[in-house]
Amino acid sequence: MSTPLKADAPFWKTKTMAEMSQEEWESLCDSCGKCCCIRLEDEDTAAIYITDVACKLFNPETCRCGDYENRSKLVPDCVTLTPVNVSQLKWMPQTCAYRLVSEGKDLPEYHHLVSGSRDTIHEVGMSVQDAVTSEILVDEDDIPTRIVIWPGEPDIN
Ligand code: SF4
Ligand code: SF4
């Protein structure tokens, strides 16, 4: 028998993603920055590999998009997450808060909505803060040599 949720349970446990307000939806992002790193797909196996090369708009110090409001215009490849597409994007990091919630999982202790601080994720080393190089500074041919496994992620998605 499952335990009933308390009346003061947090919104990500009581609401569906479609029921969340825009503010609640945006607050789920923990600024890990992993989804802003360039991914490579193996054409034979369809395996997805992630690199330590970040999108040109990514700010490695803040670990956030440098122009979030205009990101879709400036980077057409940037995927805007929605309650509909989040469960279909298999390349999203395993630790992505949207992925966790869409899979019915709880947020980790380092998530700011749990810890109360947006610094916690960086302090425990679960973000890419200061660990990536902008794609502007990397030769495209060298990107395959920049494949990494970020903390919390499996070898192959
Ligand atoms: S992977 Fe998810 S939690 Fe991390 S920055 Fe991207 S959207 Fe936010
Ligand atoms: S445009 Fe912004 S949100 Fe989109 S991948 Fe680049 S840095 Fe990330």
Side-chain angles (χ1 to χ4, degrees):
M1 194 170 132
S2 62
T3 307
L5 288 172
K6 295 178 184 174
D8 60 352
F11 71 86
W12 62 90
K13 291 183 179 177
T14 59
K15 293 184 177 182
T16 66
M17 292 184 129
E19 290 171 339
M20 293 178 190
S21 68
Q22 187 64 24
E23 186 180 6
E24 289 170 337
W25 174 261
E26 294 292 337
S27 74
L28 279 180
C29 180
D30 60 17
S31 304
C32 73
K34 292 176 183 173
C35 66
C36 297
C37 295
I38 291 177
R39 294 171 297 281
L40 301 173
E41 181 174 4
D42 185 318
E43 291 180 356
D44 296 326
T45 65
I48 302 290
Y49 298 91
I50 194 166
T51 71
D52 66 355
V53 180
C55 167
K56 64 182 181 182
L57 280 194
F58 189 71
N59 181 326
E61 292 177 22
T62 62
C63 220
R64 290 168 177 252
C65 182
D67 194 347
Y68 189 71
E69 295 304 316
N70 298 305
R71 66 192 188 287
S72 297
K73 186 170 61 182
L74 297 171
V75 181
D77 286 348
C78 178
V79 177
T80 297
L81 291 181
T82 70
V84 175
N85 71 9
V86 68
S87 63
Q88 299 163 359
L89 302 172
K90 301 305 180 192
W91 49 263
M92 286 300 284
Q94 298 289 323
T95 57
C96 173
Y98 293 96
R99 179 170 185 152
L100 293 174
V101 174
S102 76
E103 293 176 348
K105 298 173 182 170
D106 201 356
L107 297 178
E109 290 188 357
Y110 62 76
H111 193 284
H112 60 277
L113 291 176
V114 179
S115 74
S117 169
R118 279 201 166 270
D119 293 331
T120 316
I121 187 170
H122 310 307
E123 292 167 353
V124 301
M126 290 300 284
S127 77
V128 306
Q129 187 179 51
D130 292 329
V132 291
T133 305
S134 172
E135 63 180 328
I136 296 171
L137 303 173
V138 178
D139 190 297
E140 196 174 346
D141 291 339
D142 291 337
I143 293 180
T145 70
R146 305 291 298 255
I147 290 171
V148 292
I149 300 172
W150 295 112
E153 303 304 314
D155 286 5
I156 298 174
N157 282 323

